[in-house]
């Protein structure tokens, strides 16, 4: 079950996001650029932070195999899957409360799957989630 969640839940979330982009373009075009650029900005920020920090992954640091034989080196902090899932959730929350809540729940499960698979530390996923929630709140709801 973990393998299915780990592999396919992010895929489902990330594939559905372009559908949201299309919906916003046709139904709420005044927030279109915000809906696209804020998640893109978070993705680029997290990618840069991962390269800058270049923290070892748990399986590297402790010399163990990851649950799904992942062999990526470094770039553990912050979790890009977690950050991406949560910023997409915040964008969905902007267009529909109920859809946003469902996406946030899915993001939480994605976050847990990264921990249980042994590819991230708790701090990696927490920082990814908090970064996205904070940036999403500021740039999607306050500005």
């Amino acid at each position: 079950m973990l393998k299915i969640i780990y592999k396919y839940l992010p895929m489902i979330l990330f594939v559905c996001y372009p559908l949201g982009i299309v919906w916003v373009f046709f139904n709420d075009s005044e927030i279109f650029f915000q809906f696209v650029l804020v998640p893109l900005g978070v993705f680029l920020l997290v990618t840069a932070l991962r390269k800058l920090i270049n923290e070892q992954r748990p399986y590297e640091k402790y010399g163990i195999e990851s649950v799904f034989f992942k062999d990526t080196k470094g770039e553990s902090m912050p979790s890009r899957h977690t950050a991406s899932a949560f910023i997409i959730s915040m964008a969905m929350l902007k267009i529909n409360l109920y859809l946003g809540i469902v996406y946030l729940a899915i993001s939480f499960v994605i976050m847990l799957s990264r921990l249980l698979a042994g590819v991230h530390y708790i701090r990696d996923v927490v920082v990814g989630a908090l970064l996205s929630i904070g940036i999403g709140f500021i740039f999607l709801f306050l500005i």
Side-chain angles (χ1 to χ4, degrees):
M1 186 61 138
L2 177 60
K3 188 172 187 175
I4 292 168
I5 291 169
Y6 177 86
K7 187 172 182 176
Y8 295 108
L9 208 53
M11 197 180 303
I12 291 167
L13 193 76
F14 303 146
V15 166
C16 289
Y17 175 59
L19 297 174
I21 292 172
V22 171
W23 187 91
V24 167
F25 181 79
F26 287 108
N27 295 290
D28 199 357
S29 60
E30 63 192 41
I31 66 162
F32 176 76
F33 288 109
Q34 190 180 34
F35 193 83
V36 172
L37 294 178
V38 173
L40 176 62
V42 167
F43 180 83
L44 294 174
L45 173 65
V46 168
T47 299
L49 286 174
R50 288 162 54 100
K51 290 194 180 302
L52 254 167
I53 297 167
N54 199 26
E55 182 67 36
Q56 285 185 320
R57 293 173 179 272
Y59 57 80
E60 282 182 275
K61 188 171 185 174
Y62 299 111
I64 56 173
E65 283 191 33
S66 70
V67 175
F68 303 122
F69 307 106
K70 187 173 172 91
D71 62 357
T72 304
K73 303 290 185 213
E75 298 186 8
S76 179
M77 164 71 159
S79 168
R80 189 168 42 208
H81 275 90
T82 301
S84 297
F86 274 94
I87 195 60
I88 289 170
S89 298
M90 294 298 288
M92 293 300 186
L93 196 61
K94 173 89 175 170
I95 61 172
N96 184 285
L97 175 65
Y98 301 111
L99 183 62
I101 290 170
V102 168
Y103 267 66
L104 285 168
I106 292 170
S107 297
F108 185 76
V109 174
I110 290 171
M111 180 177 79
L112 289 178
S113 77
R114 310 322 279 179
L115 287 172
L116 295 173
V119 298
H120 286 289
Y121 296 101
I122 292 173
R123 65 151 196 259
D124 300 342
V125 296
V126 168
V127 167
L130 291 178
L131 248 167
S132 289
I133 291 168
I135 291 171
F137 181 74
I138 292 168
F139 289 97
L140 292 169
F141 295 97
L142 292 182
I143 295 179

